[in-house]
Amino acid sequence: FMITLENEESRRISGNGIYNLHAFMTDIHARMAAEHPFSIICVKMANPQNLLQLVGQSSIESLTASTAKYLESVVPKHDIYYTTPGVFLLICDHDDKEPMDVLHTARMINERFHQGWNFQDREAVFNAYVFYAEIPKDFQNPEQIMALIKSPLPQNTLKGQADGDKERKNDVYYGSDLNIFLRRTQVEKAVMEGLKNHNFAVYYQPIYDARDMSIKAGEALLRFHDKELGEIYPDEFLPVAERSGLIFELEDFVLDE
């Protein structure tokens, strides 16, 4: 398949030479346009911002370099991308590796993150979550892949953090585990269409005074019905709107109503 030629420096992160988000998006667009099947392995560090505050920027760069070096021992360097803070992506073409072989590689990476790392002259464990997806079987467009990259980790994957990570899922997340990211892209699209097509509605709920049951105030409740997804509740569409920047349009809509 064809890959667009461009300045290599613009595709790489200065310092470590790993490919960046721009390179990743360019390469997956080319593969998908050519209908070339491939798999991706996504390694997401848990709570990268908290880790940054804990160890500092220079230490984060050192940790990133150590992780990249390990990944280079598993796959060729030109298949590794560092897309956003704490997120590595690996592309594996099915011409080179069968999907089950790529899943095996993902599991091997996952096992490595259950072990300690030699970091700042001591052994440390850094929690990371590994996702595996086949394209186009699991994701059919780049927007769905971006949801995997940029969306926060589902809360149920983090529930074991407080008690020593005892409940953390030990295997790679794949197959039906990816549905939550597909759902987020569907909801984001529905919110955009809903704002255009006036699918949101504001209902007013009275607030009573318990002493005499008289109405003292009112509460505006935003409701959303999508023709394909049905009723979507605020605890789902509001976080999606916040991440996509659509929350301001929703606020304007409520004020106008």
Side-chain angles (χ1 to χ4, degrees):
F1 60 96
M2 295 180 61
I3 297 180
T4 304
L5 295 177
E6 57 183 312
N7 184 352
E8 271 296 297
E9 290 185 4
S10 68
R11 290 169 51 83
R12 296 183 183 273
I13 298 171
S14 60
N16 59 29
I18 299 297
Y19 285 126
N20 56 28
L21 177 61
H22 167 71
F24 178 77
M25 295 305 297
T26 299
D27 292 350
I28 65 168
H29 271 284
R31 284 171 169 83
M32 297 180 94
E35 299 183 353
H36 189 88
F38 62 99
S39 296
I40 60 172
I41 299 172
C42 177
V43 181
K44 303 187 78 165
M45 302 294 291
N47 300 319
Q49 294 304 319
N50 291 349
L51 187 61
L52 175 62
Q53 294 177 0
L54 182 65
V55 302
Q57 181 63 42
S58 61
S59 296
I60 287 292
E61 293 173 358
S62 176
L63 174 60
T64 300
S66 297
T67 304
K69 185 176 180 180
Y70 162 69
L71 294 175
E72 287 175 33
S73 71
V74 178
V75 299
K77 185 174 181 177
H78 61 257
D79 290 335
I80 304 171
Y81 304 77
Y82 189 64
T83 55
T84 56
V87 180
F88 282 90
L89 269 295
L90 284 64
I91 293 180
C92 300
D93 292 308
H94 290 176
D95 288 346
D96 302 324
K97 272 190 174 184
E98 291 293 326
M100 289 306 297
D101 292 333
V102 183
L103 179 57
H104 174 75
T105 300
R107 285 179 166 144
M108 185 168 60
I109 294 170
N110 186 58
E111 284 298 319
R112 178 64 185 87
F113 276 94
H114 284 274
Q115 302 168 18
W117 297 77
N118 185 4
F119 183 70
Q120 295 182 339
D121 298 324
R122 67 179 186 271
E123 187 172 280
V125 176
F126 299 102
N127 292 322
Y129 299 87
V130 180
F131 299 82
Y132 164 80
E134 296 177 30
I135 315 301
K137 177 183 176 182
D138 295 316
F139 295 142
Q140 290 76 49
N141 57 63
E143 289 73 24
Q144 294 172 341
I145 298 175
M146 284 302 298
L148 171 62
I149 296 171
K150 292 194 170 183
S151 294
L153 288 164
Q155 287 303 307
N156 62 349
T157 68
L158 300 174
K159 64 182 180 180
Q161 296 283 324
D163 61 352
D165 215 30
K166 293 177 182 178
E167 297 181 39
R168 177 183 165 190
K169 180 178 177 180
N170 290 323
D171 197 10
V172 171
Y173 293 86
Y174 67 100
S176 61
D177 298 326
L178 304 174
N179 289 343
I180 186 169
F181 300 104
L182 295 174
R183 173 71 179 184
R184 283 173 178 168
T185 60
Q186 293 171 340
V187 172
E188 182 175 343
K189 181 180 178 181
V191 171
M192 294 175 64
E193 293 296 321
L195 285 166
K196 293 178 183 177
N197 300 325
H198 308 288
N199 293 335
F200 287 91
V202 178
Y203 291 84
Y204 296 94
Q205 178 173 285
I207 298 175
Y208 293 91
D209 189 323
R211 293 170 297 182
D212 58 8
M213 296 305 294
S214 61
I215 297 176
K216 294 299 182 182
E219 180 182 15
L221 304 175
L222 186 62
R223 294 292 179 260
F224 179 30
H225 180 84
D226 180 75
K227 63 180 181 180
E228 294 182 1
L229 302 181
E231 293 294 329
I232 305 176
Y233 294 99
D235 62 350
E236 184 176 19
F237 71 73
L238 287 178
V240 171
E242 288 173 353
R243 286 193 299 271
S244 62
L246 295 170
I247 191 67
F248 303 107
E249 292 185 49
L250 282 178
E251 290 174 352
D252 290 341
F253 171 80
V254 173
L255 290 174
D256 289 341
E257 290 294 305

